[in-house]
Amino acid sequence: MTETMWTATGGGVSYIRGVTTLELDAAKCNGCLLCVKVCPHPVFKPSKGSVEIHEPDLCMECGACVSNCSEGALSVRPGVGCAAAILKSWLTRSSPSCGCG
């Protein structure tokens, strides 16, 4: 694997940099922090009664945060793009290609 694909960070593994589809509408966030609890990586960080996307490159686009956000403050295209490409590359021992660049 190349350095651009995998980078160990203080909080986890960074996948392909700068390509996550994760978005946060901070105006809709009620600060429940459920996204922080269900996310398998430290993508989110509490911030002033809300959350912020702290480490977007750690997002594997699984959709757990979106599925648990009752306010609709989060969006992501789970199961497509880079997350699926990375999982497929693990299984096939090949280089990932998510079609984003």
Side-chain angles (χ1 to χ4, degrees):
M1 304 289 159
T2 66
E3 188 174 333
T4 57
M5 284 175 38
W6 310 104
T7 304
T9 66
V13 174
S14 178
Y15 301 105
I16 301 172
R17 294 189 181 278
V19 297
T20 184
T21 61
L22 178 65
E23 293 182 3
L24 168 67
D25 183 342
K28 291 183 179 179
C29 179
N30 67 7
C32 72
L33 303 181
L34 196 51
C35 56
V36 175
K37 294 174 188 169
V38 300
C39 182
H41 300 287
V43 172
F44 301 99
K45 175 172 114 173
S47 176
K48 301 175 187 164
S50 183
V51 297
E52 64 181 52
I53 299 174
H54 178 65
E55 293 281 355
D57 292 332
L58 297 180
C59 178
M60 58 186 246
E61 299 179 322
C62 68
C65 59
V66 174
S67 297
N68 286 280
C69 182
S70 62
E71 302 301 313
L74 294 162
S75 64
V76 71
R77 289 180 296 162
V80 300
C82 295
I86 289 167
L87 294 172
K88 182 178 178 183
S89 75
W90 285 347
L91 296 172
T92 62
R93 297 181 188 266
S94 62
S95 295
S97 174
C98 62
C100 64

Short mmCIF file of all heavy atoms in Angstrom, two decimals, residues 1 5-6 15-16 60-62 79-97:
data_model
loop_
_atom_site.label_atom_id
_atom_site.label_comp_id
_atom_site.label_asym_id
_atom_site.label_seq_id
_atom_site.Cartn_x
_atom_site.Cartn_y
_atom_site.Cartn_z
N MET A 1 0.84 -1.17 0.00
CA MET A 1 0.00 0.00 0.00
C MET A 1 0.89 1.24 0.00
O MET A 1 1.94 1.25 0.60
CB MET A 1 -0.90 0.03 1.24
CG MET A 1 -1.77 -1.20 1.43
SD MET A 1 -3.05 -1.21 0.19
CE MET A 1 -3.48 -2.92 0.22
N MET A 5 -2.47 6.19 0.40
CA MET A 5 -3.64 5.41 0.75
C MET A 5 -3.78 5.21 2.25
O MET A 5 -4.87 5.30 2.76
CB MET A 5 -3.57 4.02 0.11
CG MET A 5 -3.88 4.00 -1.35
SD MET A 5 -3.63 2.37 -2.03
CE MET A 5 -4.22 1.33 -0.74
N TRP A 6 -2.73 4.90 2.92
CA TRP A 6 -2.79 4.54 4.34
C TRP A 6 -1.84 5.42 5.13
O TRP A 6 -0.67 5.47 4.85
CB TRP A 6 -2.37 3.09 4.55
CG TRP A 6 -3.06 2.14 3.65
CD1 TRP A 6 -2.55 1.55 2.54
CD2 TRP A 6 -4.39 1.68 3.76
NE1 TRP A 6 -3.48 0.75 1.95
CE2 TRP A 6 -4.63 0.81 2.69
CE3 TRP A 6 -5.42 1.91 4.66
CZ2 TRP A 6 -5.85 0.17 2.50
CZ3 TRP A 6 -6.63 1.27 4.46
CH2 TRP A 6 -6.82 0.41 3.40
N TYR A 15 -7.58 6.94 5.37
CA TYR A 15 -7.72 6.23 4.11
C TYR A 15 -7.25 7.11 2.97
O TYR A 15 -6.22 7.75 3.07
CB TYR A 15 -9.16 5.75 3.95
CG TYR A 15 -9.57 4.85 5.09
CD1 TYR A 15 -10.40 5.29 6.10
CD2 TYR A 15 -9.05 3.57 5.19
CE1 TYR A 15 -10.73 4.47 7.16
CE2 TYR A 15 -9.37 2.74 6.25
CZ TYR A 15 -10.23 3.19 7.23
OH TYR A 15 -10.54 2.38 8.27
N ILE A 16 -7.94 7.20 1.89
CA ILE A 16 -7.54 8.05 0.78
C ILE A 16 -7.90 9.48 1.16
O ILE A 16 -9.05 9.79 1.44
CB ILE A 16 -8.24 7.60 -0.52
CG1 ILE A 16 -7.87 6.15 -0.83
CG2 ILE A 16 -7.83 8.51 -1.66
CD1 ILE A 16 -8.63 5.55 -1.97
N MET A 60 -14.79 6.18 6.99
CA MET A 60 -14.85 5.08 6.04
C MET A 60 -16.21 4.99 5.36
O MET A 60 -16.51 4.01 4.69
CB MET A 60 -14.47 3.76 6.71
CG MET A 60 -15.33 3.38 7.88
SD MET A 60 -14.70 1.90 8.69
CE MET A 60 -16.03 0.77 8.36
N GLU A 61 -17.02 6.01 5.53
CA GLU A 61 -18.32 6.15 4.86
C GLU A 61 -19.25 4.97 5.14
O GLU A 61 -19.98 4.53 4.26
CB GLU A 61 -18.12 6.36 3.36
CG GLU A 61 -17.34 7.61 3.05
CD GLU A 61 -17.10 7.83 1.57
OE1 GLU A 61 -16.86 6.85 0.84
OE2 GLU A 61 -17.15 9.00 1.15
N CYS A 62 -19.25 4.49 6.38
CA CYS A 62 -20.10 3.36 6.73
C CYS A 62 -21.56 3.76 6.91
O CYS A 62 -22.46 2.94 6.80
CB CYS A 62 -19.58 2.66 7.98
SG CYS A 62 -19.72 3.65 9.50
N GLY A 79 -21.30 3.01 1.49
CA GLY A 79 -21.22 1.83 0.64
C GLY A 79 -20.82 2.13 -0.79
O GLY A 79 -20.86 1.26 -1.63
N VAL A 80 -20.45 3.37 -1.08
CA VAL A 80 -20.01 3.73 -2.43
C VAL A 80 -18.65 4.38 -2.33
O VAL A 80 -18.17 4.71 -1.25
CB VAL A 80 -21.00 4.70 -3.12
CG1 VAL A 80 -22.36 4.08 -3.24
CG2 VAL A 80 -21.09 6.03 -2.41
N GLY A 81 -18.05 4.60 -3.45
CA GLY A 81 -16.82 5.38 -3.48
C GLY A 81 -15.65 4.71 -2.79
O GLY A 81 -15.44 3.51 -2.89
N CYS A 82 -14.92 5.52 -2.07
CA CYS A 82 -13.64 5.09 -1.53
C CYS A 82 -13.73 4.00 -0.48
O CYS A 82 -12.89 3.12 -0.43
CB CYS A 82 -12.91 6.30 -0.97
SG CYS A 82 -12.48 7.47 -2.28
N ALA A 83 -14.75 4.04 0.37
CA ALA A 83 -14.86 3.01 1.40
C ALA A 83 -15.01 1.63 0.76
O ALA A 83 -14.33 0.68 1.14
CB ALA A 83 -16.03 3.29 2.33
N ALA A 84 -15.88 1.53 -0.22
CA ALA A 84 -16.07 0.25 -0.90
C ALA A 84 -14.80 -0.16 -1.64
O ALA A 84 -14.43 -1.34 -1.65
CB ALA A 84 -17.25 0.35 -1.87
N ALA A 85 -14.12 0.81 -2.24
CA ALA A 85 -12.88 0.51 -2.96
C ALA A 85 -11.81 -0.01 -2.03
O ALA A 85 -11.07 -0.94 -2.37
CB ALA A 85 -12.40 1.76 -3.70
N ILE A 86 -11.71 0.58 -0.85
CA ILE A 86 -10.70 0.14 0.11
C ILE A 86 -11.00 -1.27 0.60
O ILE A 86 -10.12 -2.12 0.65
CB ILE A 86 -10.60 1.13 1.28
CG1 ILE A 86 -9.95 2.43 0.78
CG2 ILE A 86 -9.81 0.55 2.45
CD1 ILE A 86 -10.06 3.59 1.72
N LEU A 87 -12.26 -1.53 0.93
CA LEU A 87 -12.62 -2.89 1.38
C LEU A 87 -12.35 -3.91 0.28
O LEU A 87 -11.82 -4.99 0.55
CB LEU A 87 -14.09 -2.92 1.81
CG LEU A 87 -14.41 -2.10 3.06
CD1 LEU A 87 -15.92 -2.06 3.28
CD2 LEU A 87 -13.69 -2.64 4.27
N LYS A 88 -12.71 -3.57 -0.94
CA LYS A 88 -12.45 -4.49 -2.06
C LYS A 88 -10.96 -4.73 -2.23
O LYS A 88 -10.53 -5.86 -2.47
CB LYS A 88 -13.05 -3.93 -3.35
CG LYS A 88 -12.87 -4.85 -4.53
CD LYS A 88 -13.51 -4.29 -5.78
CE LYS A 88 -13.27 -5.21 -6.96
NZ LYS A 88 -13.83 -4.66 -8.20
N SER A 89 -10.14 -3.67 -2.07
CA SER A 89 -8.70 -3.84 -2.22
C SER A 89 -8.12 -4.74 -1.14
O SER A 89 -7.19 -5.49 -1.39
CB SER A 89 -7.99 -2.49 -2.24
OG SER A 89 -7.93 -1.92 -0.95
N TRP A 90 -8.69 -4.66 0.06
CA TRP A 90 -8.24 -5.55 1.14
C TRP A 90 -8.52 -7.01 0.77
O TRP A 90 -7.69 -7.88 0.98
CB TRP A 90 -8.95 -5.24 2.44
CG TRP A 90 -8.51 -4.01 3.15
CD1 TRP A 90 -7.39 -3.26 2.92
CD2 TRP A 90 -9.21 -3.36 4.21
NE1 TRP A 90 -7.35 -2.19 3.78
CE2 TRP A 90 -8.44 -2.23 4.58
CE3 TRP A 90 -10.38 -3.61 4.88
CZ2 TRP A 90 -8.84 -1.36 5.60
CZ3 TRP A 90 -10.76 -2.75 5.89
CH2 TRP A 90 -10.00 -1.65 6.24
N LEU A 91 -9.71 -7.25 0.25
CA LEU A 91 -10.12 -8.61 -0.09
C LEU A 91 -9.39 -9.18 -1.30
O LEU A 91 -9.10 -10.38 -1.37
CB LEU A 91 -11.63 -8.67 -0.32
CG LEU A 91 -12.49 -8.35 0.90
CD1 LEU A 91 -13.95 -8.25 0.51
CD2 LEU A 91 -12.29 -9.40 1.99
N THR A 92 -9.10 -8.32 -2.28
CA THR A 92 -8.47 -8.79 -3.52
C THR A 92 -6.97 -8.54 -3.57
O THR A 92 -6.32 -8.89 -4.53
CB THR A 92 -9.13 -8.11 -4.74
OG1 THR A 92 -8.93 -6.70 -4.65
CG2 THR A 92 -10.61 -8.42 -4.83
N ARG A 93 -6.46 -7.90 -2.51
CA ARG A 93 -5.04 -7.56 -2.43
C ARG A 93 -4.59 -6.78 -3.67
O ARG A 93 -3.57 -7.06 -4.28
CB ARG A 93 -4.18 -8.80 -2.24
CG ARG A 93 -4.47 -9.51 -0.94
CD ARG A 93 -3.57 -10.73 -0.78
NE ARG A 93 -3.97 -11.52 0.36
CZ ARG A 93 -3.44 -11.39 1.57
NH1 ARG A 93 -2.51 -10.52 1.79
NH2 ARG A 93 -3.86 -12.15 2.56
N SER A 94 -5.39 -5.78 -4.02
CA SER A 94 -5.08 -4.93 -5.15
C SER A 94 -5.13 -3.47 -4.71
O SER A 94 -5.49 -3.15 -3.59
CB SER A 94 -6.07 -5.17 -6.28
OG SER A 94 -7.39 -4.83 -5.85
N SER A 95 -4.78 -2.57 -5.60
CA SER A 95 -4.85 -1.14 -5.29
C SER A 95 -6.29 -0.66 -5.40
O SER A 95 -7.00 -1.05 -6.33
CB SER A 95 -3.98 -0.36 -6.27
OG SER A 95 -2.64 -0.68 -6.11
N PRO A 96 -6.72 0.18 -4.47
CA PRO A 96 -8.09 0.67 -4.52
C PRO A 96 -8.29 1.69 -5.63
O PRO A 96 -7.38 2.43 -5.97
CB PRO A 96 -8.32 1.32 -3.16
CG PRO A 96 -6.97 1.71 -2.71
CD PRO A 96 -6.02 0.69 -3.29
N SER A 97 -9.47 1.68 -6.19
CA SER A 97 -9.86 2.67 -7.19
C SER A 97 -11.30 3.02 -6.93
O SER A 97 -12.20 2.21 -7.12
CB SER A 97 -9.69 2.12 -8.59
OG SER A 97 -10.19 3.05 -9.53
#
